[in-house]
Amino acid sequence: MKLIGTRILIVSVVWVAFGSMQLVRSKAPPVSQSDSLPSGAVAFVGGPASLGSGSARVTLEPVAESNTKQRTLEARIGTLARGRHIYLVVRDLQVAGQPGVLFRLYLDLPSDAKPIRTDPHYFGALNFYNAAEAGRFDAPNEKNPMFVSYDITRVLRNLRAQKLLSDQTTLTIIPSGTPAPQSDPRIGRIEIVEQ
C-alpha cells in the first residue's frame, strides 16, 4: 500500500511540475548546423532574426524545386496532396536572459495592420522558455539548439480562400509585452517545410 501511495505522489508531483507546460511535438526533422535544408523545404530565412520590443518582419526566400521552378505558397497550398502538411519551423532559439513575454506569429500580415489574436494571419505564439542553458543566462544554448514547428496548413488554406496570401511570404513576430532588458531573444533560422 505504501508503494502505491508513493507512486501516486510521484505522478502528482510530475503532473504539477509539467502539467502547465505546453508540449510541442514536431514532425519536422532536425537539421544539422550546416546550411543544408531539410527535404521538403519550401522557403527559408538563413540569417538570424533579432527580436525586441517592436515587431520584427522577415521575408522567406522560396526554395527552387528540382526543375529549378519556384512556387509561391499560394500555388503550393492549392496543389497540396491529401495527407501532406506545411510547417513553419523556427530553429536555434537563443537568449541572453529570459524575455518574460510571448512572441505572436503572423503569416503574410500587411505592414500597416494592427493585429489581434483572432486575426486570420495569426498562427501561434513562441516562447523562449528553454532557450538558455539551465542556470546560465550569460551564454546562448549551444549544446542543445532548440526548434519549434507549427502546422500552418489550415492558416494557409484560410488565407488563400480570402485572397490574403502574397507572392513574397513574410513572417511578422510581435511581442505580447515589453521583453526584459538585455534578454536579446534571437531566432537562428526559419524554414517552411512540406511533409
Side-chain angles (χ1 to χ4, degrees), residues 94-176:
Q94 298 179 353
V95 292
Q98 288 300 318
V101 297
L102 295 174
F103 292 85
R104 294 193 176 108
L105 306 172
Y106 298 87
L107 196 62
D108 278 355
L109 184 71
S111 58
D112 59 348
K114 299 214 182 318
I116 57 174
R117 190 169 177 168
T118 57
D119 191 291
H121 298 272
Y122 174 80
F123 66 88
L126 175 65
N127 73 58
F128 286 80
Y129 178 72
N130 286 327
E133 291 183 39
R136 288 193 63 197
F137 296 111
D138 59 336
N141 185 359
E142 295 171 356
K143 292 181 184 172
N144 184 21
M146 289 186 58
F147 77 96
V148 181
S149 70
Y150 303 86
D151 186 342
I152 60 172
T153 311
R154 180 176 291 175
V155 172
L156 286 171
R157 285 189 174 130
N158 290 339
L159 291 174
R160 181 175 184 261
Q162 297 175 42
K163 299 189 184 323
L164 296 174
L165 286 176
S166 64
D167 289 341
Q168 276 198 316
T169 303
T170 59
L171 172 66
T172 304
I173 306 164
I174 303 174
S176 61

Side-chain angles (χ1 to χ4, degrees), residues 4-85:
I4 292 172
T6 303
R7 287 183 181 165
I8 291 174
L9 176 64
I10 290 171
V11 169
S12 299
V13 168
V14 169
W15 182 79
V16 168
F18 296 106
S20 63
M21 293 172 61
Q22 181 181 9
L23 297 178
V24 177
R25 290 188 173 91
S26 174
K27 293 182 181 180
V31 171
S32 67
Q33 293 291 353
S34 70
D35 288 335
S36 64
L37 292 170
S39 65
V42 174
F44 71 100
V45 174
S50 294
L51 309 178
S53 58
S55 65
R57 184 179 177 97
V58 294
T59 301
L60 288 98
E61 298 297 324
V63 175
E65 295 178 17
S66 58
N67 60 1
T68 67
K69 183 178 87 173
Q70 295 177 344
R71 291 174 34 197
T72 64
L73 269 182
E74 182 174 12
R76 189 173 290 274
I77 196 69
T79 60
L80 189 66
R82 185 178 196 150
R84 305 278 295 175
H85 294 268

